[in-house]
Amino acid sequence: MRRRALLAAALLPLPVLAQPRPVSFQVGFPPGGNIDFVARLLARELAPILGQPVVVENRTGASGNLATQALVRMPADGHAIGFAAIHLATNPALLPLGYDPARDIEMLTQIGHVPVFGLASARSGITDIAGLVAAARARGGEMTFASGGVATSSHLAAELFARRAGFRFTHVPYRGGGPSMQALLAGEVDASFTVAEASIPGNVAEGRIRGLAVMQAARVPAAPGVPAIHEAGYGEEVFISSWHGIMLRAGTPASIRNRLFEAVTAAMRMPSLMDGLARAGIEPRLSPSPAAFAEFVAVETERWTRVIREAGITAG
């Protein structure tokens, strides 16, 4: 702890926020999940840099939207930050937000890139992505895909890939990524597109599930035996990842926003945080500037709005 505080002090010699009251970290998902894990890792590293406590507040519901609503009701003084994830790009096409994204929130930085794996049940007989496509086409929509819920990364990845590869499927939503993975392991469903988690490499290596592809241009170090979807001849049109980032209440003074950007950048350099992310299968990824992250979120919002509308997905 002392070494971490000394390094933080060297990186940021001046206080980040003028008033030493706690910083509230608004997280829209429950304790124990991947997003909560990342938020708590970051909060732990930010506290000595900011010189004040960083308290994670889980406000669950409406696909993360309740936490964003809480953020926009708070003062724009840097003492409240929000956890940004792919739900920011999907919720506008699914829910009445209760706020205006362009007016009420501003992006600070991306902090993580989360690969998505195409997986099949060991009982399915499918061993590669070509076999998945062939089997799904032959079964005419009867192949089952598990997801962590309607309009989650896993659901949207399946919709996107199926539309580009020319097949239909039966969507089986579960209440979270954990239950959907258990269903895949038990052979209750045929396949799933699942965000990276620590258990995937071991389950693939031991044959409990089949790793068909990681949905990006390159393989990931944690699971080098799983091909990249690019190797099967698919391009950027089917690439998908989840992502994590930080957002602020719009109107936060530029001086505070810039200091918070520096603080998050410093925290992300800490070996303990980088190691924790790696164990969860998350690749650290910082935006070069708040403007760059805002542009990234805008592109993601346009992409997933199109997919949601094409597929006729509704929150209900």
Side-chain angles (χ1 to χ4, degrees):
M1 177 66 77
R2 178 173 173 77
R3 179 178 177 274
R4 185 165 65 242
L6 288 173
L7 177 58
L11 291 166
L12 290 171
L14 297 176
V16 175
L17 300 175
Q19 300 178 29
R21 70 177 188 268
V23 173
S24 68
F25 199 169
Q26 302 299 308
V27 177
F29 299 90
N34 214 16
I35 287 178
D36 178 74
F37 171 75
V38 175
R40 291 179 188 277
L41 269 182
L42 182 58
R44 185 183 67 192
E45 302 295 350
L46 275 177
I49 296 172
L50 297 175
Q52 57 207 106
V54 180
V55 181
V56 173
E57 297 185 5
N58 300 91
R59 299 178 186 268
T60 62
S63 299
N65 201 51
L66 294 186
T68 309
Q69 290 177 349
L71 177 68
V72 303
R73 292 193 296 266
M74 295 177 179
D77 62 2
H79 285 89
I81 58 177
F83 199 101
I86 197 171
H87 67 281
L88 288 183
T90 58
N91 281 349
L94 294 165
L95 303 169
L97 298 178
Y99 62 90
D100 182 341
R103 181 193 66 210
D104 297 327
I105 57 175
E106 57 186 55
M107 299 301 114
L108 186 69
T109 183
Q110 187 176 359
I111 58 173
H113 163 88
V114 192
V116 170
F117 286 86
L119 305 170
S121 162
R123 296 183 182 180
S124 69
I126 297 167
T127 59
D128 57 27
I129 206 72
L132 173 73
V133 174
R137 288 174 177 170
R139 292 173 60 177
E142 294 181 0
M143 180 171 284
T144 54
F145 278 73
S147 83
V150 174
T152 57
S153 297
S154 49
H155 181 197
L156 294 175
E159 292 284 2
L160 176 66
F161 185 72
R163 288 175 174 275
R164 300 301 181 264
F167 67 84
R168 295 179 295 112
F169 67 94
T170 297
H171 176 219
V172 185
Y174 289 83
R175 300 189 68 172
S180 70
M181 177 59 73
Q182 289 303 313
L184 188 68
L185 287 165
E188 296 173 5
V189 292
D190 297 309
S192 178
F193 286 90
T194 304
V195 295
E197 59 176 64
S199 68
I200 288 177
N203 283 326
V204 170
E206 295 176 17
R208 289 192 289 267
I209 52 177
R210 307 297 185 193
L212 310 180
V214 58
M215 307 302 289
Q216 57 188 37
R219 300 188 185 202
V220 299
V226 179
I229 193 67
H230 187 67
E231 297 173 44
Y234 293 92
E236 292 185 1
E237 71 278 1
V238 299
F239 290 1
I240 179 175
S241 64
S242 191
W243 46 269
H244 300 151
I246 305 297
M247 59 184 170
L248 302 174
R249 176 74 169 89
T252 301
S255 60
I256 293 177
R257 182 179 66 245
N258 293 340
R259 296 282 183 128
L260 285 169
F261 183 83
E262 293 172 3
V264 173
T265 300
M268 292 294 294
R269 293 174 181 159
M270 299 297 175
S272 56
L273 190 146
M274 290 189 289
D275 290 346
L277 293 180
R279 288 196 301 273
I282 299 166
E283 300 172 10
R285 184 169 298 185
L286 282 163
S287 304
S289 67
F293 186 38
E295 182 178 354
F296 169 81
V297 174
V299 170
E300 284 281 279
T301 302
E302 181 180 357
R303 182 191 199 195
W304 294 120
T305 295
R306 184 170 63 252
V307 171
I308 288 166
R309 288 176 178 169
E310 286 178 358
I313 298 170
T314 62

